[in-house]
Amino acid sequence: MLKSWKLKEVVLMSVLAVVFAVVYLLFVHVGNIWAGFIGPIAYEWIFGIWFIVSIICMYIIRKPGAAVLSETVAAAIEVMIGNAVGPRLILSGLIQGLGAEAAFAATGYKRFNTWVLILAGVGSAVFSFAFGFLVSGYAALSPTYLALMFGLRVISGALIAGLGGKWVSDGLLAMGALRGYAISRDKPKREQKVTVQHGR
């Protein structure tokens, strides 16, 4: 899978995985605090944050495996730095990454527009919810509560992971931090469009 990757792409994926492993663990504590006030459904509002590295890496690198690898590595690092869930979290990360990967694979890894990124966030939400249903006892909850959980997770995946991932990546691109990566091929198109619109 990594044979076609450049060394700098592997390095970037690894760096982003480390950074977001820390972010992920931080948001576990944020969720724990919020859950103390409104119950377990608090996590659903912010669930999209735990998918975001898969969208960012794929949007930047644009090669098969970027979503699933980055999410799995981030989950493994999160376990190593102290997530109490343990090794099962790595499997969770793999499944979430596969959900995002599926959206990009469906386009043949050729489309990376806003709607595809949103769909990737939704894919992660759907895959993670199915996994949670199997291993976390969701079946014991009422159908109404389950529907609310699922709806909130899908929205969170679309907005936080999909749109949020695009916003972070575009910000890094605008700062010049992503020169030489696949995402930078979009920049001339945007600049050309601006030139046409404002030209005489």
Side-chain angles (χ1 to χ4, degrees):
M1 185 179 291
L2 292 175
K3 288 182 179 179
S4 65
W5 286 42
K6 298 176 183 177
L7 177 59
K8 66 179 182 179
E9 292 169 338
V10 176
V11 171
L12 178 65
M13 185 271 289
S14 303
V15 169
L16 288 172
V18 171
V19 169
F20 280 96
V22 175
V23 172
Y24 288 0
L25 187 57
L26 174 63
F27 270 85
V28 169
H29 298 302
V30 171
N32 290 341
I33 294 170
W34 198 3
F37 294 97
I38 66 172
I41 204 165
Y43 300 101
E44 305 302 329
W45 293 85
I46 59 173
F47 225 102
I49 194 65
W50 293 303
F51 313 145
I52 197 169
V53 76
S54 60
I55 281 83
I56 290 173
C57 277
M58 180 62 83
Y59 185 41
I60 293 171
I61 296 172
R62 304 188 179 189
K63 288 185 177 176
V68 67
L69 282 173
S70 58
E71 195 69 42
T72 305
V73 172
I77 295 170
E78 188 182 351
V79 170
M80 289 189 286
I81 62 176
N83 190 299
V85 173
R88 194 182 82 182
L89 184 68
I90 301 173
L91 178 58
S92 179
L94 172 65
I95 290 169
Q96 290 168 186
L98 285 172
E101 190 84 28
F104 298 107
T107 73
Y109 298 97
K110 294 178 180 178
R111 297 180 62 189
F112 298 90
N113 59 37
T114 302
W115 288 110
V116 173
L117 300 181
I118 289 173
L119 183 60
V122 170
S124 288
V126 172
F127 275 49
S128 72
F129 195 86
F131 178 68
F133 190 88
L134 292 173
V135 303
S136 298
Y138 289 2
L141 302 172
S142 73
T144 301
Y145 195 78
L146 270 176
L148 179 59
M149 286 176 61
F150 179 73
L152 287 173
R153 189 175 302 192
V154 166
I155 292 170
S156 181
L159 297 181
I160 297 178
L163 292 181
K166 185 179 190 306
W167 179 78
V168 170
S169 303
D170 286 346
L172 291 172
L173 179 62
M175 290 188 295
L178 300 176
R179 291 174 186 167
Y181 293 94
I183 190 175
S184 64
R185 298 191 204 112
D186 288 347
K187 194 173 182 181
K189 295 177 184 178
R190 286 196 293 265
E191 289 175 346
Q192 184 178 15
K193 185 176 180 181
V194 171
T195 301
V196 171
Q197 289 175 341
H198 297 284
R200 294 187 179 179

